Amino acid sequence: MQIGRIFGVKIVFNWLFFFFLFFYALMGRLAESVTLFTVVLLHDFFHLLVARGYGLRVKEVELFPFGGMAHIDDLLEYDPMVESRVALAGPLFNIFMVGAAIIVYTNSHILAQELLLFFIRCNLLIASFNLLPLLPLDGGRVLRANLSKRFGYRKATEQAVLISKIMAVIFFTVGILGFYYGAVNYSLLLIAPFIYYAAHREQNQAAYVFVRYLNRKHRELDREGILKAGYIVALEDTPLKEIIKQFTHKNYQMVLVISPGYKIKGTVTEGQIIDAVFKRGSHLPIKNLL
C-alpha cells in the first residue's frame, strides 16, 4: 500500500508492517507502534539520502516492521563498496539519533520521558537488528557485498540467503521452545517468518537483476528510437568493477580491450560484462571475457 512520496520516491507499506502495528495496538501500545513506524521511516529516509548522494535512482522504499527495502533502479549490486555504504547508512543514522535523544533526555524535563526512552530503545533495536548478517537486513547486504567480491552477486546472494533461512529456523525453534517452557518471546516468533519470507523474496528478485537491467536499456531504446553506443578502452588486466564505473544510463557501452603494448585484443559488450560481474565477481580482469 502506497502512503505517499518523498523526493518523488514512493513509500510503500508491506503487509507485515500492518500486522505488527495491529498487534501492538491490540496490546494497548499504539504510541509505541507509531514511534516504531517513525524510527523505521527515518532509518530508510537516510538510506535514500545516501543512495541519492551516489547518484542512484531510487524507485520506491518498502517498509517492513524492522526496517525497509529501497528498490533502486540502478545496478547497485555491481559495486560492493557502494552497496555496503548505502546499507550501513540506516544503522549509523539510528546510532546518531540515540546520541541526540540522550542529550535531549538529560537536558530537558518537558518532553515525555518515558516515550523518549522508548524512542532510544527503538533506535538501538533497529540499528542492532539491521546489523545482523541476514538478508534482507542491512548487515546481510554488507555480507553479500563482501562475498560478491569473490564469488559474484548471484552466488553471494544464494549463500547469504541460505544463512538467513537457517537463522530464521533457529529463531523460530528457540521461540517455540521458549513458549513451551514458559519463557514466551513473541518477537522471535514474529521475526523468524519475516526473515525467512523476505530472504526468499530477495533470492527470487536477485535472479532477475541482470534481466531487469538489460530490459531497461531496451525500453529506453524503444522509447527514444535510438540509443547511443559508447566505446571504452581498457587494458586487459583492468578489473570489471573499474570498467563498470564508466557506464552511463543513456549509452550502450562497448569495451575495446588492449594489451600493455597497446595491441587490440578484442571487444567486449556491456551485457557480457554485467553478466560476468553477477556470475563471477567484479574483481575479474576483463581479459577473462575474451
Side-chain angles (χ1 to χ4, degrees), residues 95-268:
I95 293 171
F96 169 79
M97 292 299 292
V98 168
I102 289 174
I103 293 173
V104 172
Y105 179 80
T106 55
N107 292 279
S108 173
H109 301 286
I110 300 175
L111 296 175
Q113 301 289 301
E114 185 177 344
L115 192 58
L116 188 58
L117 284 174
F118 182 77
F119 177 77
I120 293 172
R121 290 196 298 270
C122 266
N123 276 282
L124 288 173
L125 172 66
I126 296 298
S128 57
F129 180 73
N130 274 278
L131 287 173
L132 292 174
L134 309 173
L135 284 174
L137 306 179
D138 299 325
R141 297 187 182 282
V142 174
L143 171 65
R144 178 175 63 186
N146 288 321
L147 290 174
S148 67
K149 295 176 184 177
R150 181 177 179 183
F151 301 112
Y153 177 76
R154 291 179 183 175
K155 189 173 181 181
T157 299
E158 291 173 0
Q159 292 179 343
V161 165
L162 178 62
I163 293 171
S164 303
K165 288 183 175 180
I166 290 173
M167 290 305 300
V169 172
I170 292 174
F171 287 161
F172 193 77
T173 303
V174 171
I176 291 294
L177 290 175
F179 183 82
Y180 179 78
Y181 288 106
V184 181
N185 190 327
Y186 291 110
S187 296
L188 283 178
L189 293 175
L190 294 172
I191 288 170
F194 158 70
I195 291 177
Y196 194 95
Y197 157 77
H200 183 72
R201 199 177 74 160
E202 186 81 15
Q203 184 178 26
N204 290 338
Q205 290 179 345
Y208 298 102
V209 170
F210 172 62
V211 175
R212 288 200 306 269
Y213 173 80
L214 290 183
N215 282 343
R216 191 174 74 239
K217 290 276 186 172
H218 294 159
R219 287 196 303 270
E220 291 175 1
L221 178 59
D222 292 338
R223 183 175 62 252
E224 302 294 336
I226 188 171
L227 190 63
K228 292 181 180 178
Y231 267 91
I232 297 171
V233 179
L235 290 171
E236 60 183 355
D237 290 321
T238 305
L240 300 182
K241 66 172 186 174
E242 297 300 328
I243 295 172
I244 286 181
K245 290 178 181 178
Q246 306 300 318
F247 287 1
T248 61
H249 301 300
K250 294 295 184 180
N251 288 4
Y252 189 85
Q253 305 292 345
M254 308 291 289
V255 181
L256 198 63
V257 184
I258 61 174
S259 68
Y262 300 103
K263 293 183 179 180
I264 297 175
K265 305 286 289 186
T267 303
V268 180

Side-chain angles (χ1 to χ4, degrees), residues 57-79:
R57 297 179 294 179
V58 183
K59 183 179 180 182
E60 70 178 31
V61 173
E62 185 176 8
L63 297 178
F64 288 96
F66 299 100
M69 183 184 300
H71 297 277
I72 296 175
D73 201 25
D74 283 295
L75 280 178
L76 170 65
E77 299 84 358
Y78 68 64
D79 194 332

